[in-house]
Amino acid sequence: MKKSVKMAAAAVMAAVMMAGCSSGNTTNNTTANGGEGKDALGMAGTEAAAGEDSNKGGEQDGGSADSYVIGIGQFAEHGSLDNCREGFLKGLAEEGIFEGQNLTILYENAQTDGGTASQIMANFLAKDVDMICAIATPIAQSAYSAARDTGVPVIYTAVTDPVLAELAKEDKTPVGEITGTSDKLPVEKQLEMIRVLLPDAKTIGILYSTSEINSVSAIEEYKAAADDYGFEIVESGISGTADIPLATDSLLEKVDCLSNLTDNTVVSVLPMILDKAAKKNIPVFGSEVEQVKIGCLATVGLDYVDLGAQTGRMAAQVLKGEKKAGEMKFEVITEASFYGNTKVAENLGVVIPQELISSAAELFDKIEAE
C-alpha cells in the first residue's frame, strides 16, 4: 500500500476542520482496527499506524513518500532460512526501505506443513500486501499458486531449482509475476571436499523429503557426479519428520558419511541426526554454514545472509516500480566457501588438511546448540 505525505497531511487538516466545527465535546475516536494491538498474523500495529510510521521514515530518509507491506512466508524454522530472512531485510534497507519506517512486515512460518503454507498465503492476500516474500521452495510454490491471478508480485529465496519447481523457464525468465534467488548446491565442490577429508570413504548417505522438489533435484545431481569422485550415493526418502529417526538409524548402518541437502524437513531435525551420527562416529557434512556451527564436520556452501540480501535488493526494484517481477530472471550466487568445525573433526578423529584450512571462510572450534 502506498501512501503519500500529502495525502496524510490532507487527512490531518480535514480532521482538524471537523473538530473545529464540532460542539466542543471531546471523544477518543480510533480507527476501525485501532484497538487490536496485534493482527490475525500476530503482527503489531494497524494499517493507519503503518502509514504514520512510514511517512515519518520518508521524512527522515530524504522524503520518500511510499510505504510498503510485505508478507514473509518461511517454510521451516532453521538457521539458513532465518539467515535468508535477515538478509532480505538487510537488502531492502540498503535500498532505503526500512522496517518500522516505510515498511511493515507480516511474518509467518509454515513449520514444514504444506497446508499451513497455503493458509499463510491466503491470509497475506486478504491483508492486501504489496508483495510476498517466500523463503524455500515449497512455500514459494504455494505463494505463486495463491497470487498468480491477483497481480501481487512474489519474490522467493532459497529455491534450489526454480525451473524444476515450475517457477521459471529454462532461460531463467519467470512464469509470471514471480522471481528471486536460487540456493543451488555446489555439488561437485562438496564431493571434492568430502574426498579430501575422507580419502577412504566409499558411500555417502543422503536423507531427503520426497515432497520437496528441491531435494529431488539435488539427489539427481549428486548421483550424476558421485562416480567421478569414487563415491556411491545411498539415499533414503522420507515423507515427514516422524520418519527420520528410523530412516537415519538404517542409513547409518550402510554408509561412511552423511551429506545433508538444503532439505527443509530434514534440516528442521538436524540436531537429532547429528546426535545419532556422532554416537556411531560417522561424519555429517552440511549444506551451509549454520549446519557446521551446530555439529556438521564441514561444507562448501553459500552465505544465506548474502543470498537474502541479494533477494531484498531485487524486491526493492519491484516495490519502487523500477522493474516488474515478471521481467527479472532469477539469480544465483555462484561463489561458495569452505566452512569447517575443528571440534567436530577432533571428536571424529579427522584431520582437516592445511589446504582447506587456508581457504576457509570460517572455522569453528566448538559445537553450538541450535
Side-chain angles (χ1 to χ4, degrees):
M1 303 176 186
K2 300 178 180 178
K3 311 175 184 67
S4 70
V5 173
K6 290 182 180 179
M7 291 175 63
V12 172
M13 288 298 293
V16 170
M17 291 174 65
M18 290 180 67
C21 295
S22 69
S23 62
N25 294 330
T26 301
T27 57
N28 292 323
N29 293 323
T30 62
T31 64
N33 296 324
E36 291 180 356
K38 291 190 176 181
D39 63 20
L41 287 174
M43 297 301 301
T46 64
E47 181 177 321
E52 179 181 345
D53 287 345
S54 63
N55 287 330
K56 289 179 182 177
E59 293 169 4
Q60 293 168 359
D61 296 329
S64 174
D66 293 331
S67 64
Y68 311 98
V69 180
I70 299 178
I72 299 181
Q74 188 170 312
F75 186 63
E77 189 170 352
H78 57 75
S80 56
L81 300 190
D82 293 342
N83 284 351
C84 275
R85 188 174 76 250
E86 175 190 336
F88 180 70
L89 297 176
K90 177 183 176 183
L92 288 169
E94 289 174 6
E95 300 299 322
I97 301 174
F98 298 90
E99 184 180 8
Q101 293 185 14
N102 55 353
L103 172 64
T104 298
I105 293 293
L106 310 180
Y107 169 71
E108 287 287 325
N109 196 302
Q111 303 296 338
T112 73
D113 185 88
T116 302
S118 297
Q119 292 172 9
I120 287 170
M121 294 307 146
N123 287 341
F124 285 163
L125 293 171
K127 290 181 178 293
D128 198 24
V129 297
D130 296 303
M131 172 182 286
I132 292 172
C133 172
I135 304 177
T137 302
I139 204 164
Q141 292 173 310
S142 295
Y144 179 60
S145 178
R148 181 171 9 200
D149 299 322
T150 67
V152 175
V154 176
I155 304 293
Y156 57 77
T157 187
V159 171
T160 301
D161 191 336
V163 176
L164 191 60
E166 299 183 344
L167 303 176
K169 302 172 186 176
E170 290 288 347
D171 63 357
K172 295 186 178 181
T173 57
V175 295
E177 288 304 310
I178 180 168
T179 189
T181 57
S182 167
D183 63 343
K184 187 178 184 301
L185 290 170
V187 170
E188 292 213 23
K189 290 182 180 179
Q190 181 88 342
L191 288 168
E192 182 180 356
M193 179 264 297
I194 295 173
R195 175 52 70 209
V196 171
L197 285 169
L198 304 178
D200 297 325
K202 296 179 181 178
T203 52
I204 300 174
I206 300 179
L207 281 166
Y208 74 102
S209 172
T210 56
S211 63
E212 293 194 37
I213 194 69
N214 49 297
S215 296
V216 175
S217 171
I219 282 284
E220 292 307 311
E221 191 169 357
Y222 262 97
K223 286 180 177 178
D227 191 55
D228 292 339
Y229 296 89
F231 290 119
E232 176 190 354
I233 301 300
V234 182
E235 64 189 278
S236 180
I238 52 97
S239 59
T241 54
D243 299 335
I244 294 178
L246 285 178
T248 302
D249 290 338
S250 176
L251 198 56
L252 289 172
E253 296 297 326
K254 306 172 185 175
V255 299
D256 298 313
C257 65
L258 299 179
S259 189
N260 192 46
L261 308 178
T262 53
D263 188 291
N264 300 285
T265 305
V266 174
V267 175
S268 68
V269 294
L270 184 56
M272 180 269 290
I273 297 171
L274 288 168
D275 181 64
K276 286 178 174 291
K279 290 175 180 176
K280 290 187 172 293
N281 208 47
I282 291 180
V284 180
F285 293 93
S287 54
E288 51 82 38
V289 60
E290 296 299 324
Q291 296 169 22
V292 177
K293 288 181 182 178
I294 66 170
C296 286
L297 173 58
T299 187
V300 176
L302 309 178
D303 184 320
Y304 275 70
V305 174
D306 286 348
L307 183 70
Q310 184 174 356
T311 315
R313 290 188 289 269
M314 294 176 71
Q317 290 182 288
V318 177
L319 290 171
K320 292 177 180 180
E322 297 170 358
K323 290 183 179 180
K324 290 186 176 181
E327 300 170 344
M328 303 170 71
K329 293 182 178 182
F330 73 83
E331 298 180 4
V332 182
I333 290 182
T334 56
E335 293 184 9
S337 301
F338 174 74
Y339 300 89
N341 193 311
T342 57
K343 179 60 178 175
V344 175
E346 179 186 335
N347 292 345
L348 293 168
V350 173
V351 177
I352 301 178
Q354 186 60 43
E355 63 185 277
L356 290 178
I357 292 176
S358 299
S359 66
E362 195 167 1
L363 295 173
F364 305 96
D365 59 6
K366 63 180 179 179
I367 300 172
E368 297 181 5
E370 189 175 39

